[in-house]
Amino acid sequence: MAKGTAGKNYWALLLMILAGVVLGGFIGQLSAGVPALRWLNYGQTFGLSNPLVLDLGILVLTFGLTIKITIAGIIGIVLAILIYRFL
């Protein structure tokens, strides 16, 4: 059987990308205190700065989502895709 995407599990790719984002964000946070590596924590935050609150009387729902994309997170995503592709 030829090597291709026919046998690939895309749930594994999603899981690896999420792991790359988490590890990249963690490395970015750790490198924020190191002057030579401070650029890894540079990024942008997207989402709702104030959560949306829906008060239904007996039930209160709060909706909020914030995503912080950093350079370390992007590097983690790229590494996760490369690892997935070569395995």
Side-chain angles (χ1 to χ4, degrees):
M1 185 160 87
K3 186 176 181 182
T5 60
K8 297 271 185 172
N9 185 355
Y10 292 106
W11 286 108
L13 175 62
L14 179 66
L15 192 63
M16 289 190 70
I17 289 174
L18 288 175
V21 168
V22 170
L23 288 175
F26 180 68
I27 290 171
Q29 288 292 325
L30 286 177
S31 65
V34 180
L37 299 176
R38 189 170 292 152
W39 60 274
L40 286 172
N41 199 33
Y42 179 75
Q44 184 68 36
T45 302
F46 302 97
L48 297 171
S49 58
N50 297 325
L52 177 67
V53 178
L54 178 62
D55 189 356
L56 300 173
I58 60 168
L59 180 67
V60 178
L61 298 172
T62 304
F63 300 100
L65 177 68
T66 303
I67 299 172
K68 182 175 181 183
I69 307 265
T70 62
I71 293 176
I74 293 170
I75 292 171
I77 291 170
V78 169
L79 286 175
I81 292 172
L82 288 174
I83 290 171
Y84 174 80
R85 203 166 166 208
F86 291 115
L87 287 183

